């Protein structure tokens, strides 16, 4: 049993309070290897941003739970070594069972998501409440994110053919009964790098897909029901077209890629949205740079010379997000 405080981590409670009143959102970046973790910490220290390090159950299987725990501890010490102690959260993304959430809490996570959004409403309430009761009763309070509404798209173990928007009428009851600390809602974001089907989009003069706008009307309704309550957006990568083009230039194929425009996320971050999940953009940046190096330097076989430039690009991407999209720069 390891408490997150032993690792130097914090939960989301105070961070969300400040983010809601300050009109910005915390970055929630997924990681499962050293280069990603280093890039996240370098970018967040440089921009003085608090950060949520996210791990999906797939990432936990990939990297090993003990290694991840010690990487989180390493992240805290790395930030300190870089000269600025930013608040760092270790969060389980899309926990699908009480047992997984409990296991993560007992191995040093400071925050967990229990995703019962695929269940019936009553089953979602019961499961989320069970996780909250356990997480909140720990010696060091662990924060819990719940979800209402279903996002479309594919992300590790999460996959759904169809989305349905969050029903604002349900949120007061859900938050009251479960005592969750934050709530992920569905307002048109989606997992993965192809967030919409081409027929849902329009195209600009260059043939690039323009997605339908987020449902800010639903977000406003939710905010009216639970004023100041921390709201979370999943599936919020913007899928930068320059990375898609770079990947395709160097032999990849990512047909019909489309993300959420950064201006819309900036607008959301100014509201009660206080955590924005970004995974696909990091994957794209990393893949783009790896492909470029492998093609441009066919004699290169030192992984450091291949992953190093990818790490530099990731850092650049995360700094940009903190400064220009989330508004979290300067808030640590
Ligand atoms: Zn998600």
């Amino acid at each position: 049993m390891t408490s997150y405080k032993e690792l130097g981590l914090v939960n989301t409670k105070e961070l969300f309070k400040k983010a809601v009143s300050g009109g910005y959102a915390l970055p929630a970046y997924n990681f499962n290897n050293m280069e990603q973790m280093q890039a996240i910490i370098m970018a967040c220290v440089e921009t003085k941003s608090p950060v949520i390090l996210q791990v999906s159950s797939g990432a936990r299987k990939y990297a090993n739970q003990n290694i991840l725990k010690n990487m989180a501890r390493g992240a805290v010490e790395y930030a300190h070594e870089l000269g600025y102690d930013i608040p760092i959260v270790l969060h389980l993304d899309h926990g699908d069972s009480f047992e997984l959430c409990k296991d993560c809490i007992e191995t040093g996570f400071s925050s967990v998501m229990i995703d019962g959004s695929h269940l019936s409403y009553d089953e979602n309430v019961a499961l989320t409440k069970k996780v909250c009761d356990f997480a909140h009763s720990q010696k060091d309070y662990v924060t819990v994110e719940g979800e209402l509404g279903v996002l479309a798209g594919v992300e590790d173990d999460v996959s759904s053919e169809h989305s349905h928007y969050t029903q604002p009428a349900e949120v007061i009851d859900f938050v009251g009964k479960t005592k969750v600390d934050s709530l992920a809602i569905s307002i048109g974001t989606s997992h993965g790098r192809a967030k919409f089907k081409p027929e849902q989009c329009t195209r600009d003069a260059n043939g690039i897909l323009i997605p339908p706008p987020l449902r800010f009307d639903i977000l406003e309704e939710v905010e009216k029901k639970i004023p100041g309550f921390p709201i979370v957006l999943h599936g919020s990568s913007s899928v930068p077209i320059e990375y898609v083009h770079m990947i395709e230039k160097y032999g990849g194929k990512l047909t019909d890629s489309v993300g959420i425009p950064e201006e819309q996320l900036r607008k959301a971050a100014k509201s009660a949205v206080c955590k924005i999940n970004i995974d696909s953009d990091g994957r794209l940046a990393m893949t783009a740079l790896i492909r470029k190096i492998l093609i441009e330097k066919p004699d290169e076989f030192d992984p450091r010379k291949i992953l190093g430039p990818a790490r530099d690009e990731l850092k650049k991407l995360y700094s940009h997000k903190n400064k220009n999209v989330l508004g979290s720069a300067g808030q640590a």
Side-chain angles (χ1 to χ4, degrees):
M1 168 87 199
T2 307
S3 162
Y4 63 88
K5 286 197 178 169
E6 295 166 37
L7 306 176
L9 303 165
V10 298
N11 68 22
T12 59
K13 200 89 191 165
E14 285 303 309
L15 296 178
F16 282 170
K17 212 184 279 175
K18 282 192 205 162
V20 171
S21 63
Y24 61 93
L26 295 173
Y29 298 133
N30 289 73
F31 85 111
N32 48 57
N33 72 28
M34 183 188 76
E35 283 80 6
Q36 293 166 332
M37 185 274 275
Q38 290 173 318
I40 295 167
I41 298 301
M42 282 191 276
C44 292
V45 166
E46 195 178 277
T47 58
K48 293 190 160 54
S49 169
V51 68
I52 297 170
L53 292 174
Q54 278 196 162
V55 176
S56 64
S57 62
R60 202 162 171 261
K61 279 185 212 123
Y62 175 83
N64 176 277
Q65 58 195 25
N66 277 311
I67 291 177
L68 278 174
K69 174 174 87 176
N70 285 293
M71 280 174 81
R73 191 203 308 263
V76 172
E77 292 180 6
Y78 185 41
H80 186 76
E81 185 191 323
L82 291 174
Y84 199 78
D85 291 311
I86 53 169
I88 299 174
V89 176
L90 180 62
H91 175 77
L92 170 68
D93 194 18
H94 291 287
D96 59 357
S97 68
F98 171 77
E99 289 70 27
L100 175 61
C101 291
K102 178 173 181 283
D103 208 34
C104 286
I105 289 166
E106 290 178 342
T107 53
F109 281 63
S110 57
S111 178
V112 293
M113 176 191 194
I114 178 69
D115 180 0
S117 62
H118 54 287
L119 302 171
S120 73
Y121 178 79
D122 289 338
E123 287 169 331
N124 188 1
V125 168
L127 177 61
T128 306
K129 184 182 183 306
K130 188 175 175 191
V131 172
C132 287
D133 287 347
F134 181 78
H136 296 165
S137 68
Q138 299 300 300
K139 179 168 70 66
D140 297 319
Y141 186 101
V142 172
T143 40
V144 179
E145 176 182 321
E147 177 163 340
L148 267 180
V150 176
L151 276 71
V154 181
E155 179 191 54
D156 281 358
D157 303 339
V158 193
S159 159
S160 183
E161 182 77 2
H162 301 289
S163 68
H164 65 77
Y165 297 122
T166 302
Q167 295 179 38
E170 291 179 343
V171 296
I172 296 178
D173 187 66
F174 187 82
V175 165
K177 280 184 181 155
T178 61
K179 302 285 186 285
V180 275
D181 302 280
S182 59
L183 184 65
I185 64 168
S186 174
I187 58 165
T189 61
S190 167
H191 292 122
R193 58 115 195 135
K195 297 191 183 296
F196 305 96
K197 298 200 177 78
E199 54 269 29
Q200 293 175 286
C201 304
T202 53
R203 286 187 194 265
D204 71 5
N206 299 317
I208 291 167
L209 292 172
I210 308 295
L214 294 180
R215 291 289 302 272
F216 282 97
D217 56 319
I218 297 176
L219 176 59
E220 277 167 31
E221 279 302 304
V222 169
E223 285 191 71
K224 268 185 220 156
K225 303 276 185 198
I226 43 174
F229 190 82
I231 301 297
V232 177
L233 290 187
H234 280 243
S236 295
S237 280
S238 295
V239 189
I241 197 72
E242 54 269 33
Y243 291 142
V244 174
H245 285 162
M246 201 192 280
I247 287 168
E248 296 200 319
K249 180 181 169 189
Y250 294 107
K253 194 160 167 46
L254 297 177
T255 309
D256 295 333
S257 294
V258 59
I260 311 294
E262 291 188 336
E263 318 80 72
Q264 293 192 34
L265 297 169
R266 184 74 205 95
K267 183 178 166 189
K270 287 178 179 163
S271 72
V273 170
C274 63
K275 172 175 178 275
I276 292 187
N277 292 4
I278 296 171
D279 187 6
S280 294
D281 285 355
R283 296 180 181 196
L284 290 166
M286 204 160 188
T287 299
L289 269 288
I290 290 170
R291 278 193 177 276
K292 180 173 188 284
I293 302 284
L294 290 176
I295 297 291
E296 286 183 350
K297 299 182 177 169
D299 59 340
E300 188 56 74
F301 71 104
D302 180 343
R304 294 170 298 182
K305 303 269 172 59
I306 298 164
L307 294 174
R311 181 175 64 188
D312 293 344
E313 189 63 33
L314 271 183
K315 183 197 164 197
K316 210 169 86 188
L317 170 78
Y318 294 136
S319 294
H320 160 73
K321 297 282 182 190
N322 292 351
K323 283 189 257 187
N324 305 317
V325 183
L326 307 165
S328 64
Q331 302 292 349

